[in-house]
Amino acid sequence: MKQIYLIILLMFAASFHAQAQDAELRDRYEIANVMNSYALSLDTQDYTLLRSIFLVDVEVTIVFDANSPDEGVVQLSGLDNWIKYVRKALEGTSASQHLLGNPMISLTGDTAVVRTDLQATEYYKDKNKPKTTVWGFYETHMVKDRNWKIKKHTLTSIGAE
């Protein structure tokens, strides 16, 4: 009889462990999807989508390398300021493409830190202005309420041409 109870207990433990693994995999998928939605929102200038993946009190930092045409550090607080910055940055572009590398996700409960490599190319409406390509990485802090949302987002440029 003890063996039957032990087998039942082990089956429950295995089932609980499998459910926990499923939840973590689902979270990792959803986090990666937030990053993909971020790139898509920039490339399509979909500000509704962009707004949907950030917290209202988001903190954004952009660190441009010395060779970038936008040299310096930009710091923004709040979603409205972030959206306004992105709109202004993209208004002169006819197209852009943000290519993201595999996200490296550090997950702790309902918080995550994601490092994602980036190559972003912008094509300008002004045909006399050459395209710009930026290489770098994002460090993105997210929290989960019902959905994963970005609470802190940093772009570090490591090169541009």
Side-chain angles (χ1 to χ4, degrees):
M1 196 65 159
K2 286 183 180 179
Q3 290 177 343
I4 292 174
Y5 287 126
L6 182 58
I7 290 170
I8 292 171
L9 181 62
L10 289 173
M11 288 173 55
F12 279 123
S15 174
F16 179 76
H17 181 68
Q19 289 175 359
Q21 283 182 323
D22 286 350
E24 181 177 337
L25 289 173
R26 186 172 37 256
D27 282 335
R28 288 180 179 280
Y29 170 79
E30 290 172 2
I31 289 166
N33 198 47
V34 168
M35 295 307 298
N36 291 332
S37 294
Y38 174 63
L40 178 65
S41 71
L42 296 176
D43 292 340
T44 60
Q45 297 184 24
D46 184 341
Y47 299 108
T48 301
L49 177 59
L50 183 64
R51 187 173 286 280
S52 75
I53 60 176
F54 286 90
L55 292 176
V56 172
D57 60 348
V58 67
E59 297 290 326
V60 177
T61 303
I62 303 171
V63 181
F64 292 104
D65 72 287
N67 295 323
S68 172
D70 300 311
E71 181 181 349
V73 176
V74 175
Q75 292 187 300
L76 301 157
S77 295
L79 183 56
D80 289 337
N81 290 328
W82 173 231
I83 299 292
K84 183 178 176 181
Y85 178 86
V86 172
R87 279 185 187 271
K88 185 172 177 30
L90 295 177
E91 71 184 6
T93 64
S94 59
S96 69
Q97 184 176 51
H98 289 71
L99 301 175
L100 303 181
N102 294 330
M104 298 300 298
I105 301 168
S106 176
L107 188 59
T108 307
D110 289 340
T111 63
V113 179
V114 186
R115 182 195 150 112
T116 312
D117 289 336
L118 161 75
Q119 178 181 318
T121 302
E122 293 182 344
Y123 298 90
Y124 299 100
K125 292 176 184 174
D126 179 352
K127 300 300 181 198
N128 295 320
K129 188 174 181 180
K131 73 176 183 182
T132 300
T133 300
V134 173
W135 294 271
F137 61 92
Y138 296 119
E139 181 179 287
T140 308
H141 296 246
M142 294 187 201
V143 294
K144 183 178 183 181
D145 186 6
R146 286 188 344 221
N147 299 308
W148 286 97
K149 299 270 187 169
I150 299 171
K151 72 175 189 172
K152 182 178 177 187
H153 186 59
T154 302
L155 161 61
T156 301
S157 168
I158 59 173
E161 66 177 21

